[in-house]
Amino acid sequence: MKLLKLIIISLFLFSSLQAQTDQEEKKKEEEYAHDHQEIIVTAKKEPITEIANIKEISREEIEKKGALNPVEALDFIPGAFYTVGSRGETNLQLRGFSQRQVVIMIDGIPVNLPYTGEIDLSHFPLEGLAKIKVIKGTSSTVYGSNTMGGIINLITETPKKKTKAHFSLDFGRNLNQKAAFSLAKRWEKIGFWISGEYKNSNGFYLSHKFEPELNEDGAKRQNSDFTNRGVNGRFRYSWEKGSLFLDFNYLDNKRGIPPHVSEDRPRYWRFPTWRKNNLKLSLKHSPFQGLELRGSVYYDLYYNILDSYDDATYSTQERRYSFHSIFDDYSLGASFLGELSQGKNHFRLGLNLKKDAHRSQADEFEPWEKYEAANYSLGIEDEISLKDNLSLVLGTSLDWLKPVYANGEELREPIFHFNPLIGLSYRINSSQIYFSMARKSRFPTLKELYSEYIGRNIPNPELKEEKSMSYELGFRFLASGVSLDVSIFYSNLKDLIVQKRTGALFQMQNVDQAVYSGAEFSFNFPVKDGYDLSFNYSYLQAKNTSSDRISSRLEYKPSHKLALFFSFKGPFSLEGMVKSAYTGKRYFEDLAGIYQPLSPYMLWDIRLSRNLGRFEIYFLLKNILDVNYEFEDGFPGPGREILVGFTWKN
């Protein structure tokens, strides 16, 4: 308590010294913010924005809607859906596309893991995050390869004040706790920003309606504890025609992996170490009006230790299925982007280079394995203003994958793929109609190419790339605070990589085909001053169209998903938000190969807060009705959760 009192007193003293910002300073802040946005490929006017379905959710909106991590924030966006499965990791989908088919970025750096192509964003901190940008369907050709399902870019904070500080403490049931801070300082030519976040939990509680199973007796979920630590920051130097940025991110986590509630042979797994760190140097330069050049080099490191134990005591590792596995991966990359505005044309050229390396040890005293691959992409894009309200976007990219090292084995030939796109946009006052079509691809991951999975899998280094052809027709309207977005989409996927049985073993093969089609609708309406209503709905029809299919169903792809948000402001500086989210029926394949349904569910949340000058106190109640539901078969979600906290900002 003494430490907490000292922190609060210090914050009050700091706020009393903060000077007011005049109009000249405000102008410099806006220029600084725009300067940084350009370097992370979020320009104020990209050609692709005319023909793509792009959604952004701000940090303020994330907080008001009660999201506790970036994955929960993405769940607000129509077309986005996530599950939690056997590895205890969140698995994101965009319009049915799996996470391997979606590029995840932090300030323009791809952070999908080199070996699996996935990444669990639930461990990334919210502190220091400015917004999340999601591009569904047709994405820009200058972002690089593997964007078949879209792009998710986590964009970190840029200080808009000469000095900016933030501090927060949160507490929840069962010793859940979080502490976070951020501090930024800007001078005329230099500036810095740093933030940190610590989260700790002894595990989440299941719904009181949960019936005990073989591996789960209810109450607190077995092995669901975690500890997350994160620090990130930015240093910036600018001159008249450009800027230089140095960014870093450090994540150090450990956590348990809850077992399947009813399997005869469940996994008793824990991650005692899970680290994700990266460093990026970025440069922006405008030699003359109409031309901007941007470039970056980065190093991304991933290291984890996975322990498999004998039983639910998580104390011994003596049985045959126990192991102590290590992954030691890194990515080294560079990107270049040039933009030229000339007359009725806005031209962009992008070059992306990336090397992925994976080293692993299946168990103690086992030999280390090493695999490497290089990924290159050259993309061009041009927006042509045919008339004042009519524009045409043309683009293409050449992507290729080159194996570099395969644990001493012979290397396969490189894979090349050509990905064109075209789109039209027509604006009428406050409305816009757009159409786009694009061919996209995803290269096989190192795991899909080479994994033997403890002797159960036959490697297939000759895998081809997955391919898709996507179409979208959309309508947008924005006026007087009212916004409306409607889109219909269709994607035909070929050569999907799936696991197939080959005798007594398995192998990854290009055999499946699928069609994802559907519609999305989002609406925001200010009911009256201080009261806002927003609603979104997603319909997805995901079909397996493979010639050897047993069923046309696909796992964990809900046909219907909707969310309703109502925010209000009351007396005494009181603010609130009520959220209702419905997830429709999903299907999973059981051990007999038969698709079984998972029940739909609806969750209600409420958040109340009160502003006390520079302080805000809040109360968050998630899953108010204590609904018992499952993310995937055998993996139930949290029951009712209660959190309280306060924030201070200058």
Side-chain angles (χ1 to χ4, degrees), residues 245-268:
F245 291 88
L246 178 64
D247 293 2
F248 71 91
N249 291 277
Y250 174 82
L251 292 176
D252 185 7
N253 306 327
K254 60 181 180 180
R255 59 186 174 86
I257 302 174
H260 192 289
V261 297
S262 60
E263 280 186 349
D264 293 334
R265 298 179 61 183
R267 294 172 170 176
Y268 301 112

Side-chain angles (χ1 to χ4, degrees), residues 513-572:
Q513 299 182 36
V515 170
Y516 301 157
S517 59
E520 295 169 357
F521 172 88
S522 61
F523 176 71
N524 184 77
F525 177 70
V527 181
K528 63 177 185 178
D529 188 30
Y531 296 83
D532 287 286
L533 180 67
S534 61
F535 169 83
N536 67 63
Y537 168 73
S538 306
Y539 171 72
L540 174 67
Q541 187 178 63
K543 287 187 175 182
N544 183 349
T545 59
S546 305
S547 58
D548 63 345
R549 67 185 181 276
I550 299 174
S551 170
S552 63
R553 300 191 188 281
L554 292 168
E555 283 195 306
Y556 304 116
K557 300 188 187 299
S559 295
H560 305 279
K561 188 171 179 290
L562 61 89
L564 177 69
F565 305 93
F566 177 67
S567 60
F568 58 89
K569 293 182 179 180
F572 309 109

Side-chain angles (χ1 to χ4, degrees), residues 41 46-54 103 105 133 135-148 150-151 337-339 346-350 352 377-382 393-397 399 419-421 438-440:
V41 198
E46 298 178 42
I48 201 67
T49 60
E50 292 294 308
I51 61 167
N53 191 304
I54 300 177
V103 172
M105 294 181 166
K133 182 175 182 179
I135 305 177
K136 296 174 287 185
T138 302
S139 57
S140 174
T141 59
V142 303
Y143 278 98
S145 57
N146 298 323
T147 60
M148 190 164 80
I151 296 168
L337 177 66
E339 292 195 64
H346 186 89
F347 180 78
R348 286 157 57 97
L349 173 69
N352 292 273
S377 178
L378 177 64
I380 57 173
E381 206 168 74
D382 188 18
V393 178
L394 299 171
T396 190
S397 69
D399 304 335
N419 295 305
L421 70 82
R439 185 167 69 186
K440 293 287 184 178

